[in-house]
Amino acid sequence: MKEVNTDAYRVIDNIVLQNINTFEDLGTDDKELKKALKKVRRELGDFQDTMYAHGKYSVLLCLQGMDTSGKDSLIREVFKDFNARGVEVYSFKVPTELEKKHDYLWRHYIALPAKGKVGVFNRTHYENVLVTRVHPEYVLSEHIPGIHSVEDLDDTFWESRFNQINNFEKHIATNGTIIFKIFLHLSKEEQRQRLLRRLDLKQKNWKFSPGDLKERKLWNKYQECYEDAINKTSKTHAPWFVVPADNKKATRLIVAEILLKELKKYKDIKEPELNDKIKANLEDYKKQLENEKK
């Protein structure tokens, strides 16, 4: 199996999505990919335990991708060996009436992981420069001062929103949140095959919505918006990674490797040491427990 070069997926310069591969097998088969993932996710679980004890950092994983890109199954498989209390997953749907009474970042801010924990955003604050850009009429429900019609949503509006997102991420990164942003790069043909499987398999039917076909017709517009958003918001403190998504097992391993290799760079994340007084009395504490009546 080829070594996973995580830097190959990091967005450093402007990208063109149509020039980036959507399929990767890492030179091996499904069995080896599953075996490799099992090892990496155990290491990730151990790291989260240490990070929890350290108590100064949190991790935020932002997952974006077209419908059927594999976000749900990736979360299930990559975080399978985590302490259940150490990872929190939020799947952001259409904003509620309460959420619409706040600015668009509010519901994401209050869902951020506490120090020591990993938060996963299944769809993220980027929906506000993706779905809303493809369907600008959605922005009108936010009741923003000065925005009265779709015609008011010009380039200046979207540039301002990108700046707001960059400032939001800079703020939370400065305060101890380690940010990962993953775009699961799916091909249009693979999406077609996955939608067909949803229709063919009775147990998958519930996932299908006629709206999926409506959104699929806007594929090119979504690709343009993703490309623009990624290019304008991939920063050193909050990098984007574009990961091929046509082969789910390879995708999961690549994402897990990105997380592990980047987190290992934080050499200051260590389990705290016991204070000298407790250390000096460890044997005494042990004897007290051993001498207790059974």
Side-chain angles (χ1 to χ4, degrees):
M1 185 175 73
K2 294 189 298 185
E3 181 180 356
V4 179
N5 177 14
T6 57
D7 287 335
Y9 308 103
R10 183 193 296 268
V11 176
I12 299 174
D13 299 314
N14 282 357
I15 58 161
V16 177
L17 283 175
Q18 67 178 6
N19 295 337
I20 300 176
N21 290 332
T22 59
F23 181 87
E24 176 63 85
D25 63 9
L26 298 174
T28 191
D29 57 20
D30 287 355
K31 183 178 179 181
E32 287 301 312
L33 290 170
K34 289 178 68 175
K35 182 179 178 181
L37 175 59
K38 189 174 182 179
K39 179 179 181 297
V40 176
R41 73 187 181 204
R42 283 178 178 172
E43 291 186 63
L44 281 171
D46 289 342
F47 183 92
Q48 189 275 320
D49 287 340
T50 301
M51 186 176 70
Y52 182 83
H54 183 249
K56 292 186 178 181
Y57 292 95
S58 60
V59 171
L60 177 62
L61 172 61
C62 299
L63 290 176
Q64 286 286 162
M66 298 293 287
D67 289 337
T68 77
S69 59
K71 296 182 292 295
D72 292 339
S73 61
L74 184 148
I75 293 167
R76 182 188 67 238
E77 295 300 323
V78 170
F79 296 100
K80 187 177 287 185
D81 292 328
F82 272 58
N83 183 318
R85 292 180 296 179
V87 58
E88 299 170 337
V89 179
Y90 289 89
S91 296
F92 293 100
K93 308 296 184 183
V94 175
T96 65
E97 287 305 311
L98 173 62
E99 290 167 344
K100 288 178 182 178
K101 290 181 180 179
H102 295 269
D103 70 273
Y104 70 94
L105 288 173
W106 176 78
R107 65 175 181 159
H108 304 285
Y109 194 91
I110 62 174
L112 289 172
K115 291 185 186 298
K117 292 193 175 186
V118 174
V120 182
F121 284 2
N122 184 351
R123 297 192 184 277
T124 72
H125 44 291
Y126 281 93
E127 293 291 287
N128 298 283
V129 288
L130 294 168
V131 174
T132 55
R133 209 167 176 194
V134 176
H135 300 283
E137 64 275 14
Y138 293 172
V139 177
L140 301 182
S141 68
E142 296 180 25
H143 306 296
I144 301 171
I147 302 298
H148 307 292
S149 68
V150 170
E151 286 68 34
D152 294 323
L153 303 174
D154 56 11
D155 290 344
T156 300
F157 173 85
W158 296 113
E159 288 299 320
S160 174
R161 192 156 273 200
F162 285 129
N163 289 333
Q164 291 163 4
I165 289 174
N166 283 329
N167 290 335
F168 165 67
E169 292 175 350
K170 180 66 174 177
H171 170 69
I172 64 174
T174 301
N175 284 277
T177 300
I178 303 170
I179 305 170
F180 296 89
K181 299 182 296 192
I182 307 290
F183 174 60
L184 299 179
H185 189 29
L186 186 73
S187 68
K188 191 174 183 180
E189 172 58 20
E190 180 62 21
Q191 187 195 60
R192 186 178 76 88
Q193 294 295 335
R194 291 182 186 181
L195 288 172
L196 283 171
R197 282 197 287 275
R198 285 184 179 180
L199 293 171
D200 290 338
L201 298 174
K202 188 175 180 180
Q203 66 271 31
K204 299 288 186 181
N205 286 171
W206 66 272
K207 286 189 171 184
F208 181 80
S209 166
D212 295 339
L213 300 184
K214 181 181 176 182
E215 292 301 285
R216 180 173 164 79
K217 292 178 181 179
L218 300 169
W219 180 276
N220 290 339
K221 180 62 176 176
Y222 271 107
Q223 295 296 299
E224 290 174 13
C225 291
Y226 266 113
E227 187 175 294
D228 195 33
I230 291 169
N231 285 334
K232 288 178 177 174
T233 62
S234 191
K235 307 295 180 181
T236 302
H237 60 272
W240 274 102
F241 294 84
V242 176
V243 178
D246 285 3
N247 180 356
K248 286 186 177 182
K249 290 182 174 61
T251 302
R252 295 164 188 164
L253 177 58
I254 292 168
V255 171
E257 288 277 15
I258 288 171
L259 292 173
L260 184 61
K261 290 184 178 180
E262 292 300 311
L263 290 172
K264 280 185 173 180
K265 294 178 181 178
Y266 289 80
K267 302 300 183 184
D268 58 326
I269 299 180
K270 300 176 182 177
E271 291 182 358
E273 292 188 8
L274 291 172
N275 65 51
D276 292 340
K277 184 177 179 180
I278 295 177
K279 273 186 181 181
N281 290 284
L282 285 180
E283 286 302 315
D284 181 55
Y285 301 143
K286 182 178 177 181
K287 286 178 182 179
Q288 289 183 46
L289 291 168
E290 290 175 341
N291 291 334
E292 282 185 5
K293 292 181 179 179
K294 295 183 179 179

